[in-house]
Amino acid sequence: MTFTQDPPPVAPAGRPTRDASEQLLNRIMDAARAEFLAKGGIQGASMEGIAAAAGCSKLTLYRRFGSKEELFMALVKARAPDYASQFHLDLHQPPAQVLYELGLIIAAFFFKPEHLKFIRLVVAEMPRVPGLAALIQAEGDRFREPVRKCLEALKSSGQGTFDDATLAAIQFINLCVLGHFYLLAGYSSEQVSPERQEVLVRSAVTLFVSTHFRA
């Protein structure tokens, strides 16, 4: 899809307004994600195609990102979910209910078909893009942080028995998404329905709570 845009509004100094700049960035990200997925990664993707779909010039892309690799890495940074804005911890609830609500958010993000495809694409590109592996590690830490804070809060209330909240967060996320191998291997094209996600999360919570929380 190609966007046809009117000239963006400009600030007094002749630059696009902040809103127009943000709108353009959003279009670029949407177009880049579609292009990378459609072309199977960075090598097959075209900056010309991304620019045309976003309604901007190729020069604009290079001014903002420098290269396809930098644009891809910017897209990776933009994909990590912010659980802190979606999940509000209520310590008055039993730990199983708190973790169930959090687990549903985790599963819903990961099991979106477009998210699975992008995760697999990122893994495939890691050996080919300098700095991508380190970025993924940093983004993984940022991704887990709200989960770690949730577990720390539960432990501080006298309920959790785990020693390492970071390790516990990794375990909980893996349980909620059937482990990283399932996510990354791509051996099944079947979608994980919301009903199946609920069953999976309930099972994950039962196992996790029985191991790390007082009866």
Side-chain angles (χ1 to χ4, degrees), residues 19 54 57 185 211:
D19 286 346
S57 69
T211 302

Side-chain angles (χ1 to χ4, degrees), residues 144-165:
R144 288 189 297 270
E145 184 61 12
V147 183
R148 187 195 66 77
K149 287 182 176 179
C150 171
L151 293 175
E152 283 282 17
L154 290 173
K155 183 177 180 179
S156 296
S157 70
Q159 300 175 86
T161 60
F162 48 86
D163 293 324
D164 187 332

Side-chain angles (χ1 to χ4, degrees), residues 40-164:
I42 295 173
Q43 185 173 0
S46 161
M47 291 292 263
E48 290 88 347
I50 295 170
C56 68
S57 69
K58 187 169 68 171
L59 179 60
T60 296
L61 289 186
Y62 280 110
R63 282 176 174 171
R64 281 179 174 247
F65 300 101
S67 67
K68 284 193 293 184
E69 288 76 12
E70 290 183 29
L71 176 53
F72 185 82
M73 293 177 75
L75 190 60
V76 170
K77 289 182 181 179
R79 296 307 301 171
D82 179 10
Y83 291 140
S85 67
Q86 304 177 54
F87 180 74
H88 302 286
L89 181 62
D90 181 2
L91 290 178
H92 297 293
Q93 297 183 101
Q97 182 61 30
V98 174
L99 293 171
Y100 172 70
E101 294 175 9
L102 179 57
L104 287 179
I105 296 173
I106 293 171
F109 171 81
F110 268 112
F111 286 122
K112 285 184 179 179
E114 61 269 27
H115 290 177
L116 279 175
K117 290 178 182 178
F118 188 73
I119 290 168
R120 292 164 183 159
L121 180 61
V122 170
V123 172
E125 292 288 5
M126 284 175 64
R128 297 191 284 267
V129 181
L132 182 56
L135 174 62
I136 293 302
Q137 182 176 352
E139 289 301 296
D141 291 342
R142 184 169 71 88
F143 172 86
R144 288 189 297 270
E145 184 61 12
V147 183
R148 187 195 66 77
K149 287 182 176 179
C150 171
L151 293 175
E152 283 282 17
L154 290 173
K155 183 177 180 179
S156 296
S157 70
Q159 300 175 86
T161 60
F162 48 86
D163 293 324
D164 187 332

